[in-house]
Every structure is written in C-alpha cells, then in structure tokens.
Amino acid sequence: MATLQHYFNGQIQKEYVISDKTTIGRNDTNDVTIDNLGISSYHAKIFSESGAFFLEDLSSTNGTFVDGHRVEMHILEHNQIITLGKHYLKFSDHQKALLEASENNANETILAEPSINMNQAVRSYKRENSATNTAFIMMEDNTSLPITGAFIVGKGKDSNVVLDGWFAPKVSFIVDQKVDGYYITSMDNKVKVNGEAVKSLQKLSSRDLISVRGKKFQVHLSYKK
C-alpha cells in the first residue's frame, strides 16, 4: 500500500491511499483535492506501472516539485516530498519499505548464499557505501542523534525530536539523505539554518546550525573515503 500525507502550514490535513491512478488538483473531482488558487484544476497524477509509482505533472501553471526539483515525470521513492505551491505531500510506499527492511534483515543473518540477483547486488552496494557516511544531530545538551532515514522534528508522535508549545506543528522540518548529500525540508516558517529562514528545501553542510521555536540543533556530517 502507498499513501500521501497532505501537509499545510506544518499541520497534516489528510492522508490518502494511492490507487493505480490518483489525480491531484483544485477541482473536487480529483482523488486528492487541494482548494488553493496556486494549484491547477488538474495539477498532477500518480500512477502505478511495473511495480513502481510515477508522478506526472499535468501541464500545471506553477509546476510540480519533488525534494525541491521541478519535475515533469518522476519515479517516486519512499518518504519523498512532493511540493505543490505551499502544500506538501509526503509519499510513503509501505510495501516497498517493509520488503527492503525484510531483505536487509535476511542479508545481515545469512552468511553465504549460492547466488545473488542484480537487485540484491544494488541494495548491497548502497548499504556498503552508506555505511561509510555518518551523520548525526547534536542537541543543546550534547546528546547526539543519528540521522537514519527521515529525521523528523515536530510535535507529532513519530518525531525524532518532539517540540513543545501550543503552536508547534506536527512536522516542523525533516532532514533526509539524498543522492548528493543531506537536505532539510521545512514545513514551518520558524525554521532557520545559520540564522536564515528556510523556504522549503535546502542542502546542509557539516556544522550548520538549525534553530526552531527555541531549540537549536547542529548538523554533523562525515564522509569517509
């Protein structure tokens, strides 16, 4: 099963289950309706083909973005963020995530296999290379929290760091690893990196200082050759 979580102003609005074809837009005949003038009537669609989920922009006025990059057609990956105007859609492929977790556990416990297919080889390569990179968030009390998968800061129960306060959003920001480094995705206008407001998606450097709603975090990245 795959889902979309709709966020606006840092607050989750609704969660949708994705079918073989899911349309997104302002018109109320869409499967995912976002009533905002910055969204086209029929803005984008997600469809399933050959076991993958594709995102297609439907010639929208303001464009469709994935992790900050404008796309026309894109193969979605688990936990990617789709941006439409000021609205965010978090894509989750639960079945794929469970399958990969199961395969990872199997590879860790089996000492030898008679053969290995190409997909297993690619996943093994990714694991070996990702193991040479370390990344963590340093808290104000010098506690270090590793960045593994999506590192979430907010008021929600799934947050790695929980924010206090009546007005704190369920998701304030997410730090996640992309192909070329670590990025912060802001869903809260109070998020700053080195004193500058984060618009939506921004690449991080080691020792960047993130601040939000009275809390401070320092990013530590290490790339071993």
Side-chain angles (χ1 to χ4, degrees):
M1 182 181 72
T3 60
L4 284 177
Q5 288 182 322
H6 175 202
Y7 290 88
F8 181 65
N9 286 339
Q11 301 287 336
I12 187 168
Q13 305 297 307
K14 192 173 181 179
E15 184 172 36
Y16 300 87
V17 176
I18 298 174
S19 62
D20 289 339
K21 180 183 176 183
T22 300
T23 60
I24 307 166
R26 193 174 72 251
N27 192 288
D28 60 11
T29 60
N30 287 284
D31 302 295
V32 178
T33 303
I34 303 175
D35 187 12
N36 184 279
L37 292 176
I39 309 298
S40 296
S41 296
Y42 298 95
H43 197 106
K45 71 177 179 180
I46 296 173
F47 62 94
S48 176
E49 186 175 308
S50 302
F53 286 94
F54 292 78
L55 171 67
E56 181 181 0
D57 180 81
L58 299 178
S59 301
S60 65
T61 301
N62 294 316
T64 300
F65 297 78
V66 175
D67 293 340
H69 301 284
R70 187 164 185 165
V71 299
E72 299 295 331
M73 180 77 74
H74 177 79
I75 301 176
L76 289 166
E77 297 180 6
H78 182 58
N79 278 343
Q80 284 196 312
I81 303 295
I82 303 167
T83 304
L84 308 176
K86 295 182 179 180
H87 294 257
Y88 299 92
L89 299 170
K90 181 181 178 182
F91 172 78
S92 299
D93 189 343
H94 303 282
Q95 184 175 357
K96 186 175 181 181
L98 288 172
L99 178 62
E100 290 187 351
S102 175
E103 289 176 346
N104 287 345
N105 290 336
N107 286 334
E108 288 173 0
T109 56
I110 297 174
L111 296 178
E113 293 181 340
S115 63
I116 186 167
N117 63 33
M118 183 59 69
N119 288 336
Q120 289 173 323
V122 170
R123 281 192 288 272
S124 176
Y125 174 82
K126 288 182 177 178
R127 285 197 304 276
E128 290 171 2
N129 282 271
S130 63
T132 65
N133 298 336
T134 58
F136 62 91
I137 297 289
M138 182 72 76
M139 307 288 290
E140 291 180 279
D141 61 359
N142 291 327
T143 301
S144 61
L145 301 176
I147 302 173
T148 55
F151 187 94
I152 303 172
V153 174
K155 199 174 183 179
K157 63 181 181 179
D158 295 328
S159 299
N160 298 89
V161 177
V162 178
L163 296 178
D164 300 320
W166 287 102
F167 301 105
K170 289 186 178 180
V171 177
S172 179
F173 67 85
I174 298 172
V175 175
D176 201 5
Q177 184 179 15
K178 310 299 180 189
V179 175
D180 59 340
Y182 287 85
Y183 284 79
I184 181 172
T185 303
S186 172
M187 301 176 184
D188 181 356
N189 59 13
K190 300 296 184 182
V191 178
K192 294 182 179 180
V193 173
N194 301 325
E196 299 291 332
V198 180
K199 298 298 183 183
S200 61
L201 185 77
Q202 179 176 321
K203 189 174 183 180
L204 293 169
S205 299
S206 192
R207 299 194 176 277
D208 276 347
L209 186 65
I210 304 171
S211 59
V212 61
R213 300 181 182 273
K215 287 188 178 290
K216 294 182 180 179
F217 316 84
Q218 190 171 47
V219 180
H220 289 262
L221 310 176
S222 175
Y223 299 93
K224 299 176 182 178
K225 302 296 186 181

